[in-house]
Amino acid sequence: MSARRESEFHPPRLLRNPHVQSMLASSSLRRVLMRRRSRAVERDAREIILDGGDGVRLLGFHTAQRVLPAPRGLAVMFHGWEGSARSTYLMQTGGSLLTQGWDVFRLNFRDHGGTHDLNHGIFHSCLIDEVTAAVGDIARRFPQRPLVLIGYSLGGNFALRVALRAPARGIPLSRVLAVCPVICPHQGLAAIESSRWFYHAYFMHKWRLSLKRKQRAFPGEVLFERRQLRSSLRELTRALVLRHTDFGSLDNYLDGYSIAGDHLASLRVPASILTSRDDPVIPVADFERMQLPPGAELTIVEHGGHCGFIRDLGMSSFAEDYIVERLERTV
């Protein structure tokens, strides 16, 4: 394992605040300023329903590159919690990869991107089997190789867990890249609770809207009581676990998608992990305590917030450059 800081990333002082970085990552301002890349990703995107196993259906979008006679490979991309396949950071990264000759597949997790009516059960972060099955379906449908996996935040956590399972499932994954992945869910939940109030408010606002949409899709049962929907992130998560999973307790559920400590020690797929020391949502100490195999690279930069890494007022991102440069090693 190599662990180092990226000395070449020094955002201007105006952009060093971690909260500014975090908010700009998925802001509509960034989408507007870099809309050309978004248009390239949306153009000719094919909507595809994937097989997640056991009757689960997940929606994704495939976009073929246009710059080379044949694609350099296929990049499958995962969004963060309550994001979607159309989240700004995915669209911008996807646009960058298209210009480099990569085909792009953007996957929606269950109940994300307006897909609440596709499956009966509610999304939670331990639904790794259906996401792994969906990646296997992508690999079968699209012969482009190498096949790489890219994830942001919770999507980075899913990407690393899929990579752990890929060899045993026969998924020919060549590399996995994770930007600010959730490492220890216990610490991540505590960080949101103790950070600035607007993080808790932001996630709760989006999650409540999503749960209400799920309720409208399945009006025949009461998914949550009103008092539970008005509770905190921790208490609503606890209600989700007790009402809609078999984990039995919040602690068991959070342990269920942890990749802390030595969880990734057996990872056989080459991995690159990028995070920032000032991430207000995912504590950097979680990364520093990880035990990674020789084929994994951990990069920690001083500034970048959560999934931000914004270079300048033009809203370009060091994270995109990081991903493109690492993929140069894959082809």
Side-chain angles (χ1 to χ4, degrees):
M1 179 193 70
S2 66
R4 60 188 177 88
R5 301 180 187 179
E6 284 289 327
S7 59
E8 68 265 30
F9 180 57
H10 295 291
R13 189 171 299 277
L14 181 65
L15 294 177
R16 289 183 188 176
N17 183 286
H19 310 302
V20 171
Q21 284 278 346
S22 302
M23 290 185 289
L24 287 177
S26 56
S27 68
S28 56
L29 172 63
R30 186 167 182 236
R31 182 183 289 269
V32 169
L33 289 176
M34 306 190 78
R35 57 186 175 273
R36 180 179 298 179
R37 287 187 184 178
S38 296
R39 285 200 298 265
V41 177
E42 293 277 35
R43 185 181 59 215
D44 299 332
R46 292 174 51 203
E47 182 176 303
I48 298 172
I49 299 292
L50 298 168
D51 179 10
D54 296 326
V56 173
R57 298 178 298 163
L58 299 180
L59 174 66
F61 301 89
H62 176 266
T63 306
Q65 61 85 32
R66 293 183 169 190
V67 299
L68 298 176
R72 302 178 71 179
L74 175 64
V76 179
M77 304 177 67
F78 293 168
H79 57 79
W81 184 45
E82 291 306 328
S84 76
R86 290 190 169 92
S87 289
T88 302
Y89 49 88
L90 279 200
M91 300 296 284
Q92 303 308 322
T93 303
S96 293
L97 293 175
L98 288 176
T99 65
Q100 297 297 314
W102 288 83
D103 285 357
V104 171
F105 195 104
R106 296 168 290 126
L107 178 70
N108 275 314
F109 294 143
R110 179 194 295 229
D111 295 348
H112 289 72
T115 63
H116 300 75
D117 59 343
L118 278 182
N119 302 284
H120 184 269
I122 294 178
F123 171 81
H124 61 77
S125 299
C126 291
L127 294 175
I128 186 62
D129 287 341
E130 65 188 45
V131 176
T132 304
V135 174
D137 192 9
I138 294 169
R140 289 188 293 271
R141 289 171 182 258
F142 299 98
Q144 296 92 330
R145 299 291 182 268
L147 174 68
V148 300
L149 199 54
I150 301 166
Y152 283 79
S153 192
L154 181 61
N157 172 285
F158 267 93
L160 291 166
R161 285 186 289 151
V162 169
L164 272 173
R165 292 160 174 79
R169 304 289 179 87
I171 301 174
L173 195 60
S174 296
R175 178 173 287 273
V176 59
L177 300 102
V179 179
C180 297
V182 176
I183 302 299
C184 177
H186 293 271
Q187 297 301 323
L189 176 57
I192 293 175
E193 292 173 319
S194 62
S195 190
R196 300 292 179 88
W197 65 270
F198 45 78
Y199 290 106
H200 188 277
Y202 172 80
F203 284 118
M204 288 304 297
H205 173 70
K206 296 196 74 174
W207 193 19
R208 288 182 182 120
L209 289 178
S210 178
L211 292 177
K212 290 176 181 177
R213 188 165 186 172
K214 187 73 173 183
Q215 182 68 79
R216 290 194 296 270
F218 296 94
E221 61 180 285
V222 178
L223 301 179
F224 291 95
E225 299 172 14
R226 288 186 179 181
R227 63 175 180 82
Q228 292 172 328
L229 288 174
R230 292 194 296 266
S231 64
S232 67
L233 176 59
R234 179 177 294 273
E235 292 310 312
L236 185 52
T237 305
R238 192 189 312 277
L240 167 72
V241 172
L242 297 180
R243 291 179 71 111
H244 299 285
T245 79
D246 296 324
F247 285 96
S249 73
L250 177 60
D251 285 344
N252 288 342
Y253 167 68
L254 296 176
D255 288 339
Y257 66 103
S258 173
I259 53 174
D262 63 354
H263 277 77
L264 297 180
S266 62
L267 183 64
R268 291 161 53 190
V269 176
S272 296
I273 301 171
L274 172 65
T275 193
S276 66
R277 197 165 291 281
D278 63 355
D279 189 327
V281 177
I282 311 297
V284 70
D286 292 348
F287 294 89
E288 294 173 329
R289 289 192 288 262
M290 294 173 70
Q291 298 175 36
L292 296 174
E297 169 196 30
L298 171 62
T299 301
I300 303 175
V301 302
E302 290 296 325
H303 305 285
H306 185 63
C307 297
F309 308 98
I310 304 300
R311 283 189 179 278
D312 48 46
L313 296 180
M315 298 294 115
S316 65
S317 172
F318 169 75
E320 295 164 20
D321 298 337
Y322 177 93
I323 290 168
V324 168
E325 194 276 329
R326 267 61 184 179
L327 290 186
E328 289 287 339
R329 308 175 185 175
T330 306
V331 294

